[in-house]
Amino acid sequence: MASNFATRANQALMQSSPKWRLAIWLLLMLSASLWSLQLWQNGARIQSDILAMLPHLQQDKLTERALNQVEATLADQVYIALIAKDETTAIAAAKLMMQQLAADSLGADNNGALTDIRSADMQLGEALGQYYFPYRFKLLTAPQAKALTTQNMGSLIEAATAQLYNAFGYANSNLLAQDPLLLFPANLLALVPSSTVRASQGILLANQGDKVAAVVIAKGRESAFNPNAQLAQITQLNQALDSVKQRYPDVTVLKAGALFHALAATQTAKSEISILGLASLLGVIALVWLAFRSVMPLLLAIVTISSGLLLAVTFTLSVFGELHLLTLVFGTSLFGIAIDYSFHFYCERLSDTERSAQATVAYIFPTVTLAFVTSALAYVGIGLAPFPGMQQVATFCAAGLLGAYLTLIFAYPLLAGSRLPTGSRPLAIAGKYLASLTALSKRLTTPLGVGCFVLAILVCCVAGLTQLNVDDDIRHLQQSPTSVTEPENQLRTLLSGGTDNQFLLVRAPSEEALLQQLERVSPMLDDAIAKQELGNYVSLSRYLPSHQKQDIDYQLQAQLYQTQLDTVLASLGLDESLKPTLQAAYLAAKNQYITPAGFFKLEAGKQLAPLWLAPHEASIPNGDSATSDSGMTNNYGAIVLLGGISNIDALKARFTSTTNVQLIDKVADISAVMGHYRLLTLKLLALALLIALLLFSLNLGFKKATVVVAVPALAALLTLATLGLTGSPLSLFHALALILVFGIGVDYSLFFASAKNHGNAVMMAVFMSACSTLLAFGLLAFSQTQAIHYFGLTLSLGIGFTFLLSPLILTTQKS
């Protein structure tokens, strides 16, 4: 059936007019150009976020909401530390920077690149004090509760007396009249997490040796991974820093935030696109010129590559609406693959100079078509990975190959009609190479030769595969330069570890149950800090005590206001007339509770509101979400942010037995998914080899099909062995590259299996194809991005081995 289709297609090609085919091709390219332009005008964009390449995790709705909340809270934050010799200079520099940033934001119709510019909120403590004071009868610190539980009223009286005679204390007559033991100030101070950071004049300060660092925080109005937003944010930031440096030249700066990682990734990608792409293009042009010594093949090679890139961009934008920078970096390899069709065409023309361009296209059509299909299927295999970025790469490259294939079929019959200079020299070189391989194959066909060859391959494979390790950690896929990571690490140290990507998700069936669970989690985290497993954490339990705890604290204070109040007033020298008022206030507070709804109305509460996950129906009018698709409408959730994690395994172990407390580690989860799909990809490769064997057997016969498939299969094994011997770990990107090794490598096998009497031409075409492919992917192996490096390295090794092994198909046929 396949051969009949190829025959009918050949007949159609021979009968159709080259002019009509060229017209169809021009119309297709024009349509693609106009459609691509329309997509750009309608909002298609360049994406640089490495997270866009990562797989989507299958999570329950509450976990998914928590991940989105954390990413929205932490994303696009910019942290700047201004380090000066003294506190006065640091504060002045920070205030100047904040003024400059605020002025830039207001100067552009209140639409600056950076917003929410802040440092310390000096009014926060006052606002919290006003909110919590009416609930003072239901608030106790742990030492206060212990003292009241053990009826150790004396220690509380001593603490209050010390405050009365402390020149820097917070006691005053008004507070004493409402809180005689001065219990409330200690509770207010307990709301502030322990940290080395302090505040002065509205500025966050931290000591760095004998110097002082002032910290300024801002938030990007748009995503830091948007190239346009990156430029606007870094420009606004640099302008403000320039003003600071002019006024305070001795101030040094530390920077942290996604902006600087994204900027480094964008610059690296743009640099690699220009360098690798230009080098690959120049290499292909040099190959064409050296082989054919004619302008027309060179021009058609450029046309082939350009048409492939045009369709690649158009298809990718049509499917995804955006184009990832890493897709473009991967796409530079398209130069070395798309040009293969041009090489095969011109090498066949060199082997038979009397044959017309149309006849040459018809002659190579069956093999080229089968090669295109196998390469496209290889990219489809890559597209099956759960990586949006890799799906883009697959779409980009498959569409690019389609563009090159259509250019060969529709444009070459007319555009490539001119005659070529004599090609005897390159064909003769290919012939000599084949002759030497023939002599080698004769030696290998002897029993001793076959045994030595098989033994050598077996030893190499066993030695390499036994040393092959795996690495699925996504943090190794793209590493920012030290110029970005070192200042960030220093700033994280100043901020007591900052905030990590890992966090706790606490769930419960009700609001009260959730608050109680949060209270049980906090001591476990305090113990983790004491054992240096954790640097800090942010939990709502600090601000929202459960009704149960409030009732317990209220009951503990009963002995103070109902049985011991006379003693307390006398010990502190306070007027006894305060007793009725204090007792009445205590009794009136019995049914008053601190609630999440009330707290989140505060400005400080609004900042912490993303950590609270109420059921969906709480925010949907008419309460129509009783049957929400989450399946967990009765579940409440709370996020506990973690910072300065030094032992993630020990931290996870603390919560393994607690079913309603989950440590969310997106990095580890995605790494696990990568490991799963790495194994799945290798299984798909084995399945693809089996399917190819069955498919090729229909046209080539089982024996020849086995040889054709054995070449890329052996090349894949040798590639894995080489990775093991060189110490390169196996990742999903290695496995995906092996799929492409099969897709490209099987082309070489097919061309040699179908060579008939044109072995020299095929050898020359495969040699040029391999050179261009090795040039493209060899350059990718030098990428600073590990994912691209792994991809390029594996393909370079695989294609290299395939090139060395595939000519043996031709020599064994002759022997």
Side-chain angles (χ1 to χ4, degrees), residues 40 45-48 53 227 266 268-278 280 308-314 316-317 322-335 389-390 392-397 776-777 780 783 788:
W40 285 116
R45 62 193 179 99
I46 298 292
Q47 172 67 268
S48 64
M53 291 194 70
T266 300
T268 299
K270 287 182 176 179
S271 174
E272 291 182 353
I273 288 170
S274 58
I275 295 175
L276 300 182
L278 180 61
S280 181
L309 288 176
L310 175 59
L311 284 192
V313 171
T314 303
T316 304
L317 293 179
E322 63 182 18
L323 193 60
H324 203 288
L325 278 175
L326 291 184
T327 300
L328 293 176
V329 176
F330 277 110
T332 59
S333 62
L334 188 61
F335 297 153
M390 292 310 298
Q392 273 199 31
V393 170
T395 302
F396 186 92
C397 293
F777 290 115
L780 289 184
S783 172
I788 299 176

Side-chain angles (χ1 to χ4, degrees), residues 661-678:
V661 180
Q662 179 183 4
L663 196 151
I664 304 296
D665 187 354
K666 186 175 181 180
V667 171
D669 292 342
I670 294 177
S671 298
V673 171
M674 287 184 64
H676 169 73
Y677 278 96
R678 169 179 49 78

Side-chain angles (χ1 to χ4, degrees), residues 524-805:
M524 301 171 70
L525 294 175
D526 291 333
D527 185 59
I529 293 176
K531 294 183 178 178
Q532 298 183 342
E533 300 168 6
L534 182 68
N536 61 82
Y537 67 94
V538 178
S539 174
L540 288 171
S541 65
R542 193 185 301 273
Y543 305 91
L544 292 172
S546 66
H547 285 199
Q548 181 187 58
K549 184 179 185 303
Q550 292 181 63
D551 287 338
I552 291 173
D553 290 347
Y554 182 80
Q555 293 299 326
L556 285 174
Q557 293 191 57
Q559 60 176 298
L560 166 60
Y561 289 101
Q562 294 181 346
T563 61
Q564 300 288 333
L565 190 54
D566 291 331
T567 303
V568 171
L569 293 176
S571 299
L572 296 174
L574 300 177
D575 195 333
E576 293 182 2
S577 62
L578 295 175
K579 179 178 178 180
T581 304
L582 287 170
Q583 288 182 332
Y586 172 78
L587 293 173
K590 181 177 181 179
N591 295 320
Q592 296 178 0
Y593 291 96
I594 300 168
T595 63
F599 175 73
F600 292 137
K601 293 178 181 178
L602 298 176
E603 190 60 36
K606 291 178 182 177
Q607 296 178 14
L608 295 170
L611 303 184
W612 182 260
L613 303 173
H616 279 294
E617 64 265 21
S619 59
I620 298 177
N622 304 322
D624 292 335
S625 66
T627 57
S628 166
D629 60 350
S630 69
M632 303 173 64
T633 55
N634 293 326
N635 265 18
Y636 283 77
I639 297 166
V640 180
L641 298 178
L642 308 175
I645 298 174
S646 58
N647 191 339
I648 186 69
D649 294 330
L651 203 57
K652 285 181 178 179
R654 290 179 177 272
F655 302 101
T656 52
S657 59
T658 310
T659 56
N660 51 0
V661 180
Q662 179 183 4
L663 196 151
I664 304 296
D665 187 354
K666 186 175 181 180
V667 171
D669 292 342
I670 294 177
S671 298
V673 171
M674 287 184 64
H676 169 73
Y677 278 96
R678 169 179 49 78
L679 292 173
L680 181 60
T681 302
L682 293 176
K683 293 177 181 177
L684 284 175
L685 176 59
L687 180 62
L689 290 170
L690 179 60
I691 294 174
L693 176 62
L694 297 175
L695 179 64
F696 296 157
S697 297
L698 299 177
N699 285 336
L700 304 176
F702 181 77
K703 182 178 180 181
K704 185 180 288 187
T706 302
V707 176
V708 168
V709 173
V711 168
L714 185 56
L717 286 175
L718 289 172
T719 299
L720 290 174
T722 304
L723 293 174
L725 292 173
T726 56
S728 179
L730 180 64
S731 71
L732 174 59
F733 288 92
H734 292 94
L736 292 173
L738 288 176
I739 292 284
L740 198 52
V741 166
F742 161 71
I744 298 174
V746 79
D747 291 356
Y748 300 167
S749 299
L750 283 172
F751 280 116
F752 279 113
S754 307
K756 298 181 181 178
N757 297 322
H758 299 96
N760 291 358
V762 172
M763 185 68 248
M764 179 182 172
V766 169
F767 171 76
M768 295 182 66
S769 298
C771 286
S772 62
T773 305
L774 286 172
L775 178 63
F777 290 115
L779 290 171
L780 289 184
F782 292 99
S783 172
Q784 297 180 31
T785 304
Q786 287 294 334
I788 299 176
H789 165 74
Y790 290 156
F791 199 82
L793 176 63
T794 306
L795 272 164
S796 298
L797 291 171
I799 296 302
F801 285 124
T802 304
F803 170 74
L804 294 175
L805 294 172

Side-chain angles (χ1 to χ4, degrees), residues 65-86:
R65 285 179 61 200
L67 285 168
N68 293 336
Q69 291 280 65
V70 170
E71 289 176 3
T73 302
L74 301 181
D76 307 323
Q77 295 278 3
V78 176
Y79 300 86
I80 304 295
L82 304 171
I83 303 174
K85 294 180 179 179
D86 56 78

Side-chain angles (χ1 to χ4, degrees), residues 18 22 294-301 303-304 341-342 344-350 352-353 355-361 364 407-420:
L22 180 62
S294 176
V295 174
M296 185 53 68
L298 190 58
L299 292 177
L300 278 182
V303 169
T304 304
Y341 304 134
S342 182
H344 285 289
F345 172 83
Y346 277 107
C347 288
E348 285 297 336
R349 289 212 66 190
L350 282 178
D352 189 349
T353 56
R355 184 188 290 141
S356 66
Q358 184 175 2
T360 303
V361 170
I364 66 173
T407 302
L408 171 69
I409 302 303
F410 288 96
Y412 274 52
L414 186 62
L415 296 181
S418 60
R419 291 185 177 274
L420 291 173

